[in-house]
């Protein structure tokens, strides 16, 4: 069974930083691209970032480019999202999701999702 | 910025066919993906590349696309299908990846 578990969410002040993690099991982690997707009541679902299987190709939404960095450590079946200069606009439930297999060809699909980790930005 | 437009809500009776639409200027050239999100749960992929159903998704779920509108159909809708449904696609340049605003389906 494919399982993705996010962690690292919490309360952070505006302008602060946070690092999210995602651990994947039940599939060959090193063979798949993985994405970060966030959801908030105000903005709905929003694709944030994606990284290919070996970590040398990344993509970002314009809203986070330059502030967020996605990386992975396949030996630990882990994905990370380094977030900086956070604002209330970034407050959301952050999901990691396994790609359906065509990320490098420009087709993004999310065939398994974690349960999310909550990021709250407040002073 | 690119937008995908969905009706906010749809209500059908059990056994009827529910049709949820998603409109976007680039849909004639770009694939649409559909996700189901039940209350308190993570989204689940129910249709990929306009018309394809992942393994484990019931046959009553189907997808189609014509012109600037993609449609998710649920034939013989069941109470268990009550959920929010989101479409996902990209703009014509392939740069912006967006979800629709979601449609809340009620089956009663």
């Amino acid at each position: 069974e494919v399982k993705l578990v996010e962690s690292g969410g919490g309360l952070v002040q505006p302008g602060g930083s946070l690092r999210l993690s995602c651990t994947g099991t039940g599939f060959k982690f090193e063979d798949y691209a993985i994405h970060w997707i966030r959801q908030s009541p105000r903005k709905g679902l929003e694709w944030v970032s994606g990284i290919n299987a070996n970590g040398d190709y990344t993509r970002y939404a314009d809203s986070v480019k330059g502030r967020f960095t996605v990386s992975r450590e396949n030996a630990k079946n882990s994905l990370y999202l380094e977030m900086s200069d956070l604002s209330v606009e970034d407050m959301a439930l952050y999901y990691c999701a396994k790609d359906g297999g065509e990320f490098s060809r420009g087709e993004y699909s999310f065939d398994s999702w974690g349960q999310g980790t909550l990021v709250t930005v407040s002073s | 910025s690119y937008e995908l437009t969905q009706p906010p809500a749809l209500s059908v009776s059990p056994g009827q066919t529910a049709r949820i639409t998603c409109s976007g200027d680039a849909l004639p050239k770009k694939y649409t993906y559909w996700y189901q999100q039940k209350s308190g749960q993570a989204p689940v992929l129910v249709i990929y590349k306009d018309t394809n159903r992942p393994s484990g998704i019931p046959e009553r779920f189907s997808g189609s696309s014509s012109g600037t509108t993609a449609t998710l159909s649920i034939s013989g809708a069941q109470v268990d299908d009550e959920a929010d449904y989101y479409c996902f696609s990209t703009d014509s340049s392939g740069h912006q990846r967006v979800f629709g605003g979601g449609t809340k389906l009620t089956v009663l």
Side-chain angles (χ1 to χ4, degrees), chain A residues 37 39 44-47 59-60 62 65 95 102 106-115, chain B residues 30-31 33 35 37 40-45 48-49 86 88 90 95-100:
Chain A
I37 298 151
Q39 186 172 27
L45 282 166
E46 182 182 13
W47 173 81
R59 309 302 287 174
Y60 299 94
D62 286 344
K65 200 173 292 184
Y95 295 101
E102 295 193 62
E107 288 299 329
Y108 298 4
S109 65
F110 320 117
D111 63 8
S112 295
W113 299 56
Q115 288 303 305
Chain B
K30 298 296 182 182
Y31 287 122
Y33 299 78
Y35 295 88
Q37 186 176 33
Q41 299 182 20
V44 172
L45 178 67
Y48 65 97
K49 287 188 171 181
Y86 298 90
F88 176 83
T90 181
H95 179 69
Q96 293 185 68
R97 313 283 174 160
V98 298
F99 286 90

Side-chain angles (χ1 to χ4, degrees), chain B residues 29-72:
Chain B
K29 295 184 177 180
K30 298 296 182 182
Y31 287 122
T32 303
Y33 299 78
W34 289 95
Y35 295 88
Q36 175 196 65
Q37 186 176 33
K38 295 183 178 179
S39 181
Q41 299 182 20
V44 172
L45 178 67
V46 293
I47 294 290
Y48 65 97
K49 287 188 171 181
D50 291 347
T51 62
N52 298 278
R53 196 174 53 249
S55 61
I57 300 302
E59 290 184 10
R60 63 181 181 274
F61 288 86
S62 63
S64 62
S65 188
S66 178
T68 59
T69 300
T71 302
L72 171 69

